[in-house]
Amino acid sequence: MAVEQSYHHGNLHAALLTAAEAELEDRGLEGFSLRGVARRAGVSHAAPAHHFGDVNGLLTALAAVSFERFKAAMESTAAAAPPDPISQLVAIGLGYIDYATGHPHLFGLQFASERPDRNDPRLARHAAASLVTLQERVDALVRKGGRKSDAADDLAPKFWAITHGLATLFAMRRSPAFPTTDPEERRMRFERILRSVADDTP
Amino acid sequence: MAVEQSYHHGNLHAALLTAAEAELEDRGLEGFSLRGVARRAGVSHAAPAHHFGDVNGLLTALAAVSFERFKAAMESTAAAAPPDPISQLVAIGLGYIDYATGHPHLFGLQFASERPDRNDPRLARHAAASLVTLQERVDALVRKGGRKSDAADDLAPKFWAITHGLATLFAMRRSPAFPTTDPEERRMRFERILRSVADDTP
DNA sequence: TGTACATCAGTGAACGCGCGTTCACTGATGTAC
DNA sequence: TGTACATCAGTGAACGCGCGTTCACTGATGTAC
């Protein structure tokens, strides 16, 4: 850092988000504290208030950023996959699971915490946008046809639920019954399961 | 209570678990405190230590109890359902979702918290037993036959994941994209989706 | 180019709070004889 | 049946801790003229 000796930080907003992410992934939501974030950023613990109001404001901003990156991660997985609608949808699911595995506490903040303010426009926007990513692939698949019409209505919730279930249960090791297996094998199993849901033409 | 004026409580162990459940469902895991539990039980805040050691001991015991009731809830839903293997499995899934909906924070404690001691034998036993309930129905369904063999291997994780995904995303209202609908309609949708996973004979 | 002044960003001390845990204690219960 | 004593269950006061928030402040930056 070239600005180290300066009184003003210059980019504290971004630095605090980075520190908050590290704090969250290290200590979990229960151990997360504003003072811990400030410590990591090397700044007085009163400084964050200037940028985020209070601790929930910071968590809200962090959740929004995480949804943004979550969406980008899914899109990039899909970009590397074959263009047919089924492979595209499966790729979105795998990207979803990979993100949850790689950032378990950010993922938990996005979906399982009551601390972010869900009415915050920025958070709401990014949360909705990340789901559009999945919905678009479902729509493309349904448009292709060859699918029972009532099953088509259920495809989005069904595919989303199985992806979310795999992400939380298996990727986050919260599965007492299924031993952690080789990561490559696990990924193949995820892919097989997701494909079986995406590809249920009669 | 007939023992109200007595110095000794008589059944404080059970009373503390009841109070802990109320505290958890009222204030969530983040707001849960040992002192709050003692307050609810009308007892000194040093008393719980006698029965559970520390706060995590209490949460561990509560998680074990919750797994026990979770299993019982699934079994009773299944008992009221038709005896064919598919209906039985679907009923287990619906019982799973109902429990999560009715006791969101207990459910979160069971599956998404790092505070209970997962190595506690009693907790581990009840957690494993509750999944056996699901596995048995899957086994019965596979034994009946008429199913592709590799799909049979994936059926348990697949069914479990979709059930868990529906429970966490929809039942707990963490679904930004799907508006909360009429409970009866929602239940029918859950049933339709679960059945489509259970009944994928080629 | 230089000066005055407003605005902004971060400081550091202070506050009050609720928490979990410890510990000497006391009241109640059960058991031995 | 009665007494002495050990054990058990719950008390209440005390502790130290880290937390979020507030607030008067100071150092740095930007702008007007």
Side-chain angles (χ1 to χ4, degrees):
Chain A
M1 298 251 167
V3 224
E4 210 150 327
Q5 74 283 19
S6 165
Y7 186 92
H8 283 188
H9 185 285
N11 201 13
L12 187 53
H13 188 97
L16 284 171
L17 282 172
T18 302
E21 178 181 349
E23 170 88 353
L24 182 64
E25 291 298 356
D26 270 16
R27 316 225 288 137
L29 235 202
E30 306 212 355
F32 185 93
S33 89
L34 197 65
R35 290 168 103 110
V37 173
R39 242 175 267 128
R40 279 170 202 268
V43 103
S44 141
H45 63 259
H50 233 278
H51 294 273
F52 299 99
D54 57 17
V55 64
N56 285 333
L58 175 55
L59 285 169
T60 301
L62 185 58
V65 167
S66 188
F67 265 115
E68 207 174 354
R69 287 164 44 188
F70 175 55
K71 177 185 157 89
M74 290 189 284
E75 293 287 6
S76 107
T77 307
D84 66 282
I86 289 178
S87 298
Q88 281 292 298
L89 181 56
V90 169
I92 292 293
L94 290 173
Y96 191 113
I97 293 169
D98 283 348
Y99 190 86
T101 311
H103 312 88
H105 287 111
L106 281 175
F107 184 76
L109 183 70
Q110 291 174 224
F111 287 106
S113 171
E114 281 163 17
R115 298 189 65 177
D117 174 10
R118 305 282 164 185
N119 294 321
D120 178 80
R122 195 177 135 77
L123 172 54
R125 184 157 41 85
H126 286 297
S130 72
L131 296 173
V132 166
T133 291
L134 190 149
Q135 186 67 51
E136 283 171 353
R137 265 63 174 201
V138 169
D139 291 345
L141 182 52
V142 169
R143 236 181 285 117
K144 202 196 79 178
R147 174 173 286 275
K148 297 170 264 177
S149 69
D150 52 345
D153 270 358
D154 283 339
L155 183 57
K158 182 177 173 182
F159 191 84
W160 189 19
I162 195 149
T163 301
H164 194 81
L166 289 171
T168 53
L169 279 179
F170 300 98
M172 299 172 75
R173 318 278 154 97
R174 257 297 153 267
S175 151
F178 293 74
T180 303
T181 53
D182 168 54
E184 192 45 46
E185 186 193 321
R186 194 182 61 185
R187 196 189 159 90
M188 280 175 53
R189 179 173 240 198
F190 287 162
E191 177 159 4
R192 207 166 57 231
I193 291 176
L194 292 180
R195 195 167 285 273
S196 78
V197 172
D199 186 14
D200 71 349
T201 48
Chain B
M1 298 252 168
V3 224
E4 209 150 329
Q5 74 283 19
S6 163
Y7 186 92
H8 282 189
H9 185 286
N11 201 12
L12 187 54
H13 187 98
L16 284 172
L17 282 173
T18 301
E21 178 181 349
E23 169 88 353
L24 182 65
E25 292 297 357
D26 268 18
R27 316 223 291 135
L29 235 201
E30 306 212 356
F32 184 93
S33 89
L34 197 64
R35 290 170 103 110
V37 172
R39 243 175 268 128
R40 279 171 201 269
V43 102
S44 139
H45 64 259
H50 233 277
H51 293 272
F52 298 99
D54 57 16
V55 63
N56 284 333
L58 176 55
L59 285 169
T60 300
L62 185 58
V65 168
S66 187
F67 265 114
E68 208 174 354
R69 287 165 44 188
F70 175 55
K71 176 184 156 90
M74 289 189 285
E75 293 287 6
S76 106
T77 307
D84 66 282
I86 289 178
S87 297
Q88 281 292 297
L89 182 56
V90 169
I92 292 292
L94 289 174
Y96 191 111
I97 294 170
D98 282 347
Y99 190 85
T101 310
H103 312 87
H105 288 110
L106 281 175
F107 185 76
L109 183 70
Q110 291 173 224
F111 288 106
S113 171
E114 280 161 19
R115 299 188 67 176
D117 174 11
R118 304 283 164 184
N119 295 321
D120 177 81
R122 194 176 137 75
L123 172 54
R125 184 158 41 84
H126 286 298
S130 72
L131 296 173
V132 166
T133 290
L134 189 149
Q135 186 68 51
E136 283 171 354
R137 265 62 175 202
V138 169
D139 291 346
L141 182 52
V142 169
R143 235 182 286 117
K144 201 197 78 177
R147 176 173 285 275
K148 296 169 264 177
S149 68
D150 53 346
D153 271 358
D154 283 339
L155 183 57
K158 182 177 172 180
F159 191 84
W160 190 20
I162 196 150
T163 301
H164 193 82
L166 289 171
T168 52
L169 279 179
F170 300 99
M172 299 172 75
R173 318 277 153 98
R174 257 294 155 268
S175 151
F178 292 76
T180 305
T181 53
D182 168 54
E184 193 45 46
E185 185 193 322
R186 195 182 60 185
R187 197 188 159 90
M188 281 175 53
R189 179 173 239 198
F190 287 162
E191 176 159 5
R192 205 167 58 230
I193 290 177
L194 292 179
R195 194 166 286 272
S196 78
V197 172
D199 185 16
D200 71 349
T201 48

